[in-house]
Amino acid sequence: MTDWFLNLTPVMQALVATLFTWFMTALGASVVIFFKTINRKVLDGMLGAAAGVMIAASFWSLLAPAIEMTENSGGTPWIPATVGFLSGGAFLWLVDKLLPHLHSGFPMSEAEGIKTSWQRSTLLCLAITLHNIPEGLAVGVAFGALAADLPSASLAGAIALAVGIGIQNFPEGSAVSVPLRREGMSRAKSFWYGQLSGTVEPIAGVLGAMAVIWMEPLLPYALSFAAGAMIYVVVEEVIPESQLARNTDLATVGAMCGFAIMMTLDVALG
């Protein structure tokens, strides 16, 4: 790791890390420049892998450190983990009900959230944006935890989380741009909407880092909150979308591989 990154404040490190995760979303969206379609089996395998990464990150990078922090401080370890986890899921449930969005592969009649006249492209972009809120928040909270100088919060672990989230952002960018291109939108516009869905991550990352620095006692709750939000997204959106074309075995194998990759990254680097 270069010295310039090590010398940054945790908030700036969170910004750099989430700019990387946004870049990976943009990189995934850029496949639309070369391909008008993408093999559905390939996409389902990648979405399954993304789900596996998010599930592993939720425990190894967020819940486990939250439990350890509470134990080290003499608290009851399951309380912050449970309260934060359920609060994160409840928050995403509320956003899911309010924010207009449409999952890839579904007709306009099945758009979720408040009814609106927004175009299909906007609704598809907002669906992936919804995925990226907890991802950016998770990375930001992980880097913000470094300011607390706790044994369970390590720079290597935060970097591993950012790398894992970045890897799974690649198929999410493709999942926006390719369907838009297939429906007749230009390459430039398809790419624009695909990368746009990832721009929320640096915002959520910086806010997450600042929040835990300002409210250090709430750190275990914040880590668990991010975990709950990510699990909600995985169960409610990513896994069902990966199995929409009934490539269930492929999506499941992808999820297993994604989990193993993220677990290896976190254990090896964290």
Side-chain angles (χ1 to χ4, degrees), residues 69-83:
M69 288 175 190
T70 307
E71 287 178 335
N72 292 339
S73 64
T76 306
W78 63 267
I79 293 179
T82 302
V83 172

Side-chain angles (χ1 to χ4, degrees), residues 122-141:
T122 303
L123 295 176
L124 285 169
C125 182
L126 286 174
I128 301 298
T129 301
L130 187 60
H131 292 185
N132 290 335
I133 292 174
E135 294 166 10
L137 182 64
V139 175
V141 168

Side-chain angles (χ1 to χ4, degrees), residues 3 7 27-28 35 42 52 87 118-119 124 127 142 168 177 187 190 197 203 209 236 247:
D3 290 340
N7 293 330
L27 191 63
F35 306 101
V42 173
S87 297
W118 292 349
Q119 295 181 345
L124 285 169
Q168 65 92 41
S177 63
R187 287 184 174 88
S190 298
S197 66
I203 299 171
E236 204 270 340
N247 296 315

Side-chain angles (χ1 to χ4, degrees), residues 66-243:
I67 292 170
E68 185 178 347
M69 288 175 190
T70 307
E71 287 178 335
N72 292 339
S73 64
T76 306
W78 63 267
I79 293 179
T82 302
V83 172
F85 184 83
L86 293 178
S87 297
F91 171 75
L92 257 291
W93 177 85
L94 182 61
V95 174
D96 189 56
K97 297 302 179 186
L98 297 177
L99 181 69
H101 62 284
L102 175 67
H103 301 301
S104 178
F106 288 89
M108 283 291 288
S109 59
E110 295 192 31
E112 300 180 34
I114 296 174
K115 298 301 179 183
T116 178
S117 59
W118 292 349
Q119 295 181 345
R120 180 181 178 86
S121 57
T122 303
L123 295 176
L124 285 169
C125 182
L126 286 174
I128 301 298
T129 301
L130 187 60
H131 292 185
N132 290 335
I133 292 174
E135 294 166 10
L137 182 64
V139 175
V141 168
F143 278 96
L146 300 177
D149 197 26
L150 298 172
S152 52
S154 69
L155 178 61
I159 292 172
L161 176 61
V163 170
I165 294 297
I167 291 171
Q168 65 92 41
N169 273 358
F170 185 91
E172 289 192 349
S174 302
V176 176
S177 63
V178 172
L180 294 178
R181 176 61 179 156
R182 189 170 57 242
E183 292 177 9
M185 187 174 288
S186 69
R187 287 184 174 88
K189 280 191 174 182
S190 298
F191 169 74
W192 171 254
Y193 278 109
Q195 66 80 32
L196 190 64
S197 66
T199 56
V200 71
E201 291 199 8
I203 299 171
V206 169
L207 291 177
M210 293 173 64
V212 298
I213 290 173
W214 290 340
M215 299 176 288
E216 186 178 317
L218 296 180
L219 180 53
Y221 292 92
L223 288 167
S224 303
F225 181 96
M230 285 217 292
I231 290 297
Y232 182 93
V233 167
V234 170
V235 176
E236 204 270 340
E237 299 180 18
V238 181
I239 290 178
E241 187 175 335
S242 73
Q243 301 194 0

Side-chain angles (χ1 to χ4, degrees), residues 56-57 60 258-268:
W60 296 101
F259 186 98
I261 290 170
M262 185 65 232
M263 179 175 61
T264 301
L265 281 172
D266 194 273
V267 175

